[in-house]
Amino acid sequence: GTYDGVVAGWDTKGHVGKFDDDEEKSTKPKKNQDLLDMLQSASRVTDDTSYLKMNFAMAVHDGSVRCLSIASSAQQSGPGGKLDETSNPTPGALLSAGFDESLAIFSLVKRVQSGELKTPSNLGTPTCSDFAPPYTNSPTHALIGLSSGKIVIYRRKDWSVEHVLPGHDEKGVTCISVHPSGKMALSGGRDGKICLWDLMRGRLAFVNKIPSNQRGRKCTVNHIVWSDDGNRYAYCTHEGNITAREMESGQDLLDITLPSAGRANQICFIGGDEGLFLAAACNNGGLPVFAVGSIDENEEEEGTRRALMAIEPVEGVASAREDRLKCIRSVKGGSDYFVVTANSGGVISVIDLEGAARMMLSDPNEESDNESQHSGGDSDRSDDSADDEDDEEFAAEILESVRIGSGARVTSIAVWSAYDSNKDVDTDVFEEEIDIKEDEEETSDSEESNEHPKERQQPSKKRKNITTTVSLGREGEIEMDSKSLEKARALVSKAKKRQKRKAKKS
């Protein structure tokens, strides 16, 4: 999505071939086809052998595109076109939210717009979005964060407003991420708070207040993400903080502060069984990769490498203007180290960060021994040193880069890739749909909902709301309902047990 309100999409060469026939071209609106032709002709990459091909471009919003989300869909089978829920998912619906307070829904199968609606009045413009559950065929709900600090939950069946969640102040919601189970969600705002939402009951579970480095100013949470297994989450702030935390114990797995000029705009988890890492798209054009694990003092003393700059930043803010990394998304399926980035110059890149991960997983003591042996050897050893330098250059391998026209300013990206939906996520937690209910008790940070009183469900029994304060970070404190927190942690524990049982059976 761009500042001009244009939504453009690329697909792999092989996948495009399934839809790129004369019949579909004839049904595509002429203005969209003209825009597509114009952007393709002005793009940097026009080689027919390129891996990615621009297959649609549409002028959608009167103003900038604020956020994009893609929902999976089951594959159609048989002459009746019925959905096969047991099949691997395919790209289904694209949700685009704009500064003009409109939501546009597109079918990525038919490549046509399937609906459009306005956000509720007096709630501001949309700023972020996500589907729930995120990794299953045909998610049942969509969550939209707004500049008013509210989060609207839509039922995808008819796109009706299911609930309005208050939690952030009038400065607005900046990011939202739904747990892989679809039962919880995290949101961040300009008010320096991270909220955990219980989507099963439609209420706020707890609030994490992030301390600010500047007196009188609150932190702004730029981005927040869950790991694929749902056991960890990470967030980055406008002030340069990057924190990764374990959900069940609340332990900090990573806590680092970057210079303000090189702050992270977005982050994503990469890696798998060998190790978990966090990649950051930084404002100075740099792409650092951090190891996510328990902070062990002994490891630090031994010189364990916990961070590596996969792409070096551009010197000077002025020179980095066109190279600022605005967005980053991980790619599910295949390699666990692929990411897609977008910079201010309108360049979209597919990058392999496996080299950076391998360098951090390697033993630094072995590397120092090899260097000492090479320094005492003959001229043949210099060739080995040259090979090591080549390895260092491939910490990040750019597999493909494309550009939107002559360099449109990118505001947001969404990425979908083919994957086995049963591989990383336990589908048992999806059996129960999200049941949104009105809760009588609200925390002190919550605001009153705008729903009509008749639509509220009365609780069967009143209970006293006990609030406790628990430290989950080095400085931050969390205000929570103790019972709600226990339930949230129980969800994660159950998911772990199910995954272990499935692993034993397989």
Side-chain angles (χ1 to χ4, degrees):
T2 72
Y3 277 98
D4 302 325
V6 173
V7 175
W10 290 262
D11 212 334
T12 59
K13 186 81 174 180
H15 199 190
V16 170
K18 297 179 181 179
F19 309 100
D20 214 8
D21 53 23
D22 295 334
E23 181 179 355
E24 184 188 352
K25 287 183 178 179
S26 62
T27 59
K28 187 177 297 184
K30 187 178 186 303
K31 63 177 183 178
N32 290 340
Q33 183 62 49
D34 293 341
L35 179 61
L36 177 61
D37 294 339
M38 181 188 70
L39 292 177
Q40 284 180 333
S41 62
S43 298
R44 174 182 295 179
V45 179
T46 57
D47 188 1
D48 291 338
T49 62
S50 61
Y51 179 66
L52 294 176
K53 177 183 177 182
M54 183 183 287
N55 55 11
F56 68 85
M58 298 166 285
V60 180
H61 299 286
D62 294 329
S64 62
V65 178
R66 304 303 297 270
C67 55
L68 296 170
S69 297
I70 297 177
S72 297
S73 175
Q75 295 183 10
Q76 294 183 350
S77 61
K82 294 183 179 180
L83 297 180
D84 182 7
E85 297 294 342
T86 62
S87 64
N88 288 334
T90 61
L94 169 66
L95 172 64
S96 173
F99 185 76
D100 56 0
E101 301 183 6
S102 68
L103 305 177
I105 303 97
F106 301 90
S107 170
L108 293 178
V109 176
K110 299 180 180 179
R111 308 287 171 84
V112 295
Q113 183 170 348
S114 56
E116 184 177 6
L117 66 153
K118 287 284 186 178
T119 56
S121 60
N122 301 324
L123 292 185
T125 60
T127 56
C128 51
S129 62
D130 201 3
F131 285 103
Y135 302 143
T136 185
N137 291 348
S138 303
T140 57
H141 291 75
L143 281 70
I144 307 293
L146 300 166
S147 59
S148 62
K150 304 293 195 302
I151 297 174
V152 179
I153 299 182
Y154 289 91
R155 181 181 292 275
R156 281 195 61 208
K157 185 177 182 179
D158 55 3
W159 287 99
S160 60
V161 175
E162 185 87 359
H163 199 74
V164 178
L165 302 177
H168 295 277
D169 64 18
E170 66 280 358
K171 293 182 180 179
V173 185
T174 56
C175 52
I176 190 168
S177 180
V178 177
H179 188 268
S181 67
K183 298 182 179 181
M184 298 181 289
L186 285 170
S187 64
R190 299 182 186 276
D191 53 4
K193 295 190 296 187
I194 292 178
C195 298
L196 174 68
W197 300 96
D198 182 352
L199 297 182
M200 300 297 295
R201 293 172 175 82
R203 70 180 184 185
L204 190 61
F206 68 75
V207 178
N208 182 6
K209 294 183 177 180
I210 305 172
S212 175
N213 299 329
Q214 301 177 3
R215 179 174 296 180
R217 296 188 62 181
K218 297 180 179 179
C219 273
T220 296
V221 183
N222 284 345
H223 198 217
I224 192 164
V225 290
W226 289 98
S227 61
D228 285 344
D229 59 9
N231 295 330
R232 306 168 185 87
Y233 68 92
Y235 64 88
C236 61
T237 68
H238 190 77
E239 291 70 26
N241 300 101
I242 298 179
T243 302
R245 191 167 289 166
E246 189 176 47
M247 180 62 188
E248 189 169 8
S249 67
Q251 179 188 8
D252 279 351
L253 306 177
L254 175 71
D255 190 4
I256 192 170
T257 301
L258 301 177
S260 58
R263 66 178 180 272
N265 292 317
Q266 288 190 356
I267 53 177
C268 69
F269 281 104
I270 58 173
D273 297 335
E274 296 182 356
L276 192 64
F277 303 88
L278 200 66
C282 295
N283 209 48
N284 58 3
L287 202 164
V289 179
F290 305 95
V292 177
S294 59
I295 301 176
D296 192 334
E297 294 181 359
N298 295 329
E299 289 184 354
E300 298 293 341
E301 292 176 359
E302 294 173 1
T304 302
R305 195 181 302 175
R306 293 186 60 84
L308 188 145
M309 189 64 73
I311 295 180
E312 292 294 332
V314 178
E315 295 183 3
V317 178
S319 58
R321 183 170 300 170
E322 294 299 320
D323 296 314
R324 294 174 183 170
L325 291 179
K326 303 280 295 211
C327 311
I328 187 169
R329 293 288 188 274
S330 58
V331 179
K332 289 181 64 66
S335 172
D336 294 321
Y337 300 95
F338 283 6
V339 298
V340 178
T341 64
N343 68 8
S344 298
V347 177
I348 314 293
S349 300
V350 181
I351 304 175
D352 185 0
L353 295 176
E354 185 173 3
R358 297 294 179 196
M359 291 176 188
M360 283 189 281
L361 291 172
S362 62
D363 189 350
N365 296 325
E366 291 182 1
E367 292 183 1
S368 60
D369 293 341
N370 292 336
E371 289 177 0
S372 61
Q373 292 176 3
H374 292 170
S375 61
D378 54 15
S379 59
D380 292 338
R381 301 297 186 185
S382 61
D383 296 336
D384 296 334
S385 299
D387 293 339
D388 293 339
E389 293 178 0
D390 292 339
D391 292 339
E392 192 73 22
E393 294 176 357
F394 287 96
E397 183 180 359
I398 299 178
L399 304 178
E400 182 91 355
S401 288
V402 292
R403 169 176 277 182
I404 304 178
S406 57
R409 297 175 64 189
V410 176
T411 57
S412 58
I413 61 172
V415 176
W416 190 95
S417 59
Y419 64 94
D420 183 357
S421 59
N422 299 319
K423 180 180 179 181
D424 297 320
V425 182
D426 187 357
T427 56
D428 290 342
V429 297
F430 298 150
E431 292 179 357
E432 185 176 358
E433 283 193 356
I434 299 174
D435 183 18
I436 304 300
K437 298 180 180 179
E438 181 71 20
D439 187 25
E440 185 179 36
E441 290 87 15
E442 298 286 351
T443 66
S444 59
D445 295 306
S446 299
E447 299 174 9
E448 293 295 326
S449 172
N450 291 334
E451 285 189 312
H452 193 277
K454 291 183 179 179
E455 297 176 357
R456 299 181 181 177
Q457 298 180 7
Q458 298 296 330
S460 58
K461 184 178 181 181
K462 293 184 179 180
R463 57 185 174 83
K464 187 176 180 181
N465 190 23
I466 302 175
T467 302
T468 58
T469 301
V470 178
S471 176
L472 283 191
R474 294 184 178 180
E475 296 177 288
E477 288 187 343
I478 290 177
E479 298 177 3
M480 73 196 82
D481 182 322
S482 57
K483 290 186 178 181
S484 298
L485 180 60
E486 290 175 0
K487 290 179 180 179
R489 289 180 173 174
L491 292 176
V492 177
S493 299
K494 288 180 181 179
K496 284 183 178 179
K497 292 178 181 179
R498 290 193 185 98
Q499 289 174 349
K500 289 181 180 179
R501 287 198 298 266
K502 278 200 168 186
K504 290 181 180 179
K505 291 180 181 179
S506 59

